[in-house]
Amino acid sequence: MTPPRKLHIKSYGCQMNVYDAQRMVDTLAPEGFVETASADEADLVILNTCHIREKASEKVYSELGRLRAAKDEAARGGRAMQIAVAGCVAQAEGEEIVRRAPVVDVVVGPQSYHHLPELLKRARHDGRAIETEFPVADKFGFLAQPKPDAIRARGISAFVTVQEGCDKFCTFCVVPYTRGSEVSRPVAKILDDVKRLADNGVRELTLIGQNVNAYHGEGPDGQSWPLGKLLERLSQVPGIARLRYSTSHPRDVDDSLIAAHRDLDALMPFVHLPVQSGSDRILSAMNRKHTAADYRRVIDRFRAVRQDIAFSSDFIVGFPGETEEDFRATLALVTQIGYAAAYSFKYSARPGTPAADLQETVSLAEMDQRLERLQGLIDSQQSAFNKAAIGTTVDVLFEREARKEGQIVGRTAYLQPAHVMASSDIIGKILPVRIDSLERYSLLGELVAPPVAREAALSSIATGA
C-alpha cells in the first residue's frame, strides 16, 4: 500500500484564501495527499498568496528562501519535495516567480488551482509548470467535494464562495487583475455545497466573494438572484443557524439585502462594509464610486430595519494626495458611524494599478502618525462596544475547547469571542450567556442555565408539564 504524501499549505490574507486552501486540500486528497502542520516534512508545500497587503511579494520570496533549504535537506534524505506558489501573487507575477526563485516547481493562479494534480505531474516531467491564464470553464465544476470527515474536522463554521472577481477597479486595488471580472455561482450549486456542509455538522456559514453583494447568480427559476434572495433560500436549509457574508461594496447594497436583514433571524446583525476614506476628494481619486454621504445613507438604511446592527470597515491612510483635512474627514466619519471593529492600513502601491503612478505621495512619517490616530479612535470604539456587553445576556454559538482547561469558546452575533466554563458537549449549540467581564477582546461569562436543565425546562413547557 502506497503511504500518503504529506501536504502543507500556508495561506496569506483574505477569507477567500482560507476557502481556496481548503478546496486545494480536497482536490489533492484523491491524489493521496494528507495535510501536515510541518513544511519541513511535507512532500508538497503550497504558498497560497495574497497581493492586497503591504510587501506581499517580498514575504513570499522570503518564505521561498527558507523553503529552499528544506527542499535541499529533503533531497539529501532521498525525498522529493515540490513547492507551489498559488493565489494572487502567482497570478500577478507568473514566470517572474520562477526566475527569482528557481526552487518553485508550480505557479498557479486563483482561478486554476483545480488543475493542481496535472500541474504537479507536468512539473515532475518538465521541471516546472505555470498556469496563470483565466480559464473559460468555471473551476467549481471541477473541484473535488470535501469528504464528510474533512468537513467535520474543520468545525461548525464554514466559508462558501458564492462570487469571485470585481468590476469596480478601485485605483489602489489589484483584485480585478488577479481575480478577474465579477462571476457569480448558480444558486443550485451553492445550495448543494451548503446542504453537504449542514449534513456534516456545520451550523454557521459565511458567504464570501471579492464583492459579495454584487452576487447575481442564476436561480432555479432561471432568473438572476441577488444576494438577499440567496440568503433567504439558504436560511431554509435545516441545520444552518447563522448566516454571514463578506466583503461588501457600498454601491451594491440593494433593497433585497436590506430586507434580508429585516426578515431573516439567521442573518447576523454584523456587516463588514469597507469605506476606505471619509474624504470625497480621496474617494474620487480611489474611484470608489460613492461619497461619504452615500456611505452614511447606506448605514442608515441598515439601521432603519435592524436597530441592533453593528459595522466593521476598512480604511487606507496616506493615499497619494491625502491632506490633513482629508484625513480629518475620515476621523469625522468614524466618529459619526461608530464601529464595532475595523481594519486600517497605510497605503502601499501595487504595481500595475493606476494609483501606483500617482506622484503626490504622503511621507511614511505622516502615514505612521495618521494610522496611530485612526487606530486609537477605532480601538476606543471597539472597546466601548465590547464593554457594553457586560451585564447583558447574549446568544453564543460554541465552536471549540479553549486553551484554558475546562473552558469552551464561541462567538456572539458580532463575532466577539465568548468564553465559559462548561463541558465540550455544548460545542455546536447556541446558548444564552450572561457576560460578566472583558479580557482584552474576549468576553467572559456563564451559561444562563446548564444546558441539560435548560433543555428539560423547554421540554416541560412544550408538554405542559
Side-chain angles (χ1 to χ4, degrees), residues 84-365:
V85 177
C88 290
V89 172
Q91 186 71 41
E93 304 206 4
E95 293 187 6
E96 175 68 7
I97 293 174
V98 173
R99 188 191 69 79
R100 288 186 57 181
V103 70
V104 173
D105 301 284
V106 172
V107 178
V108 59
Q111 304 306 327
S112 302
Y113 63 74
H114 56 298
H115 292 152
L116 267 170
E118 292 80 9
L119 293 171
L120 292 168
K121 292 173 185 175
R122 193 196 312 168
R124 283 193 291 271
H125 184 268
D126 299 335
R128 60 180 48 92
I130 300 173
E131 185 168 332
T132 56
E133 300 298 321
F134 289 110
V136 175
D138 172 17
K139 70 185 178 189
F140 291 99
F142 299 91
L143 292 172
Q145 295 299 336
K147 296 183 184 304
D149 57 348
I151 295 173
R152 289 190 288 269
R154 290 167 185 166
I156 54 104
S157 298
F159 296 126
V160 175
T161 293
V162 300
Q163 179 273 343
E164 288 195 296
C166 186
D167 295 343
K168 296 296 184 288
F169 288 92
C170 297
T171 58
F172 57 82
C173 186
V174 298
V175 165
Y177 313 104
T178 59
R179 290 276 183 170
S181 59
E182 292 174 356
V183 177
S184 298
R185 298 180 63 201
V187 172
K189 298 292 187 182
I190 297 168
L191 193 57
D192 285 345
D193 286 354
V194 170
K195 287 179 178 177
R196 184 178 299 105
L197 292 169
D199 287 345
N200 288 282
V202 169
R203 304 293 317 280
E204 178 180 69
L205 287 176
T206 301
L207 309 185
I208 55 175
Q210 271 79 36
N211 190 18
V212 70
N213 60 331
Y215 178 81
H216 53 275
E218 181 183 2
D221 56 2
Q223 301 298 308
S224 175
W225 281 28
L227 182 62
K229 192 169 184 179
L230 174 64
L231 287 163
E232 180 184 5
R233 177 64 186 89
L234 297 182
S235 71
Q236 300 165 12
V237 175
I240 298 301
R242 286 183 169 183
L243 291 170
R244 305 181 187 273
Y245 58 90
S246 187
T247 292
S248 300
H249 194 287
R251 283 284 301 238
D252 291 322
V253 177
D254 64 8
D255 290 343
S256 78
L257 188 56
I258 298 294
H261 277 280
R262 181 193 64 207
D263 299 335
L264 303 180
D265 290 338
L267 183 56
M268 294 295 95
F270 188 43
V271 177
H272 184 63
L273 192 65
V275 63
Q276 307 299 355
S277 174
S279 163
D280 287 347
R281 193 177 73 84
I282 296 300
L283 288 170
S284 177
M286 290 176 167
N287 194 35
R288 288 289 292 170
K289 299 181 175 69
H290 64 80
T291 65
D294 293 334
Y295 183 84
R296 286 192 292 268
R297 281 191 286 270
V298 173
I299 296 290
D300 290 342
R301 288 168 63 201
F302 278 112
R303 285 176 168 161
V305 299
R306 189 76 193 253
Q307 304 303 310
D308 61 345
I309 202 163
F311 299 92
S312 62
S313 192
D314 291 342
F315 294 92
I316 294 173
V317 302
F319 187 82
E322 183 189 66
T323 65
E324 176 65 19
E325 182 180 0
D326 293 321
F327 177 67
R328 286 179 180 173
T330 296
L331 294 179
L333 180 70
V334 173
T335 300
Q336 291 164 1
I337 301 298
Y339 290 100
Y343 305 94
S344 52
F345 309 93
K346 293 181 291 186
Y347 171 75
S348 60
R350 293 291 174 267
T353 61
D357 297 327
L358 297 177
Q359 301 301 313
E360 198 177 356
T361 57
V362 178
S363 72
L364 285 175

Side-chain angles (χ1 to χ4, degrees), residues 395-407:
D395 284 339
V396 174
L397 173 57
F398 288 97
E399 299 177 343
R400 57 182 172 80
E401 294 181 354
R403 293 178 181 175
K404 183 177 179 180
E405 186 176 354
Q407 201 173 63

Side-chain angles (χ1 to χ4, degrees), residues 367-382:
M367 280 199 252
D368 286 339
Q369 189 260 357
R370 289 176 186 173
L371 185 64
E372 184 178 357
R373 290 160 63 191
L374 176 59
Q375 289 183 338
L377 176 58
I378 291 168
D379 287 348
S380 68
Q381 291 186 345
Q382 183 173 6

